[in-house]
Amino acid sequence: MNDDERAMMMLEKSIYEAKEMLEEKHIFRPFAMILDQNGSIRRMDNDIEDMQVSYMQLHDEITAHVQMRQTADIIVLLTNASMPEQLVEDGIESSIRIHLEERSQLHKAIPSRYIYVPYQLQRLSGEEKIEAKLFHPQAVSFPAEFFRKEG
């Protein structure tokens, strides 16, 4: 599996988990997944009530993890977020925001991305079940926060 395929696998896996949480609880708590060079995936979350504090705690834990272990290849950090105003389409403001960093992309000028996946919670007709309908993702690039360029 090449680097792009590994990143897509991590994105798909994390989005699927967030979608499941949205359908079950109608919101999801911030969580992260780290793919190591050996192919193992570590999931990180916490029970902090305040979503922003929870997100920042995960951010700090990932930073410490990457500094202590140089084996992390891909990081995804997800949170429930409002779409940036300039990206809102069709009035859909809720999104799953994925902070994606890949060690293999560090050579690029702006190697990290926020990927916003807009969603709407919809009740299926005649059922109690809520479906999280996902829309076309949009990406915004920014400098790396977890991985540091060598040299």
Side-chain angles (χ1 to χ4, degrees):
M1 193 179 293
N2 68 32
D3 291 332
D4 289 341
E5 291 168 335
R6 290 164 48 99
M8 283 303 298
M9 181 265 306
M10 289 294 287
L11 284 172
E12 288 172 2
K13 183 173 180 53
S14 64
I15 291 169
Y16 179 77
E17 282 196 34
K19 183 179 189 296
E20 273 189 340
M21 284 186 241
L22 283 167
E23 290 175 345
E24 185 178 311
K25 299 179 181 169
H26 309 158
I27 193 159
F28 73 93
R29 301 189 49 71
F31 69 94
M33 299 170 90
I34 300 173
L35 178 67
D36 264 350
Q37 293 167 350
N38 66 7
S40 67
I41 297 173
R42 177 177 180 194
R43 190 177 193 288
M44 301 170 83
D45 56 14
N46 58 45
D47 293 327
I48 298 171
E49 284 296 317
D50 183 298
M51 297 292 192
Q52 188 170 358
V53 174
S54 173
Y55 179 88
M56 292 310 297
Q57 178 67 34
L58 285 169
H59 189 285
D60 293 347
E61 286 179 43
I62 293 167
T63 301
H65 178 84
V66 169
Q67 288 173 354
M68 287 188 323
R69 295 183 178 162
Q70 298 296 312
T71 59
D73 263 352
I74 298 172
I75 296 165
V76 290
L77 173 58
L78 288 82
T79 192
N80 201 15
S82 295
M83 290 288 291
E85 193 174 306
Q86 66 273 25
L87 299 180
V88 172
E89 291 180 7
D90 300 324
I92 300 168
E93 295 181 11
S94 297
S95 75
I96 299 167
R97 186 184 77 193
I98 305 139
H99 176 160
L100 171 66
E101 286 196 28
E102 304 169 70
R103 188 178 299 277
S104 67
Q105 300 299 305
L106 283 178
H107 67 281
K108 294 185 175 179
I110 303 178
S112 300
R113 294 175 298 287
Y114 278 146
I115 299 170
Y116 291 89
V117 182
Y119 73 86
Q120 274 185 330
L121 296 179
Q122 302 174 339
R123 186 171 306 279
L124 298 176
S125 61
E127 294 186 31
E128 290 296 310
K129 184 175 167 71
I130 298 286
E131 177 187 28
K133 183 174 181 185
L134 305 180
F135 296 90
H136 185 71
Q138 299 185 53
V140 176
S141 299
F142 60 95
E145 293 180 11
F146 300 120
F147 295 122
R148 300 288 179 225
K149 286 189 178 181
E150 308 295 318

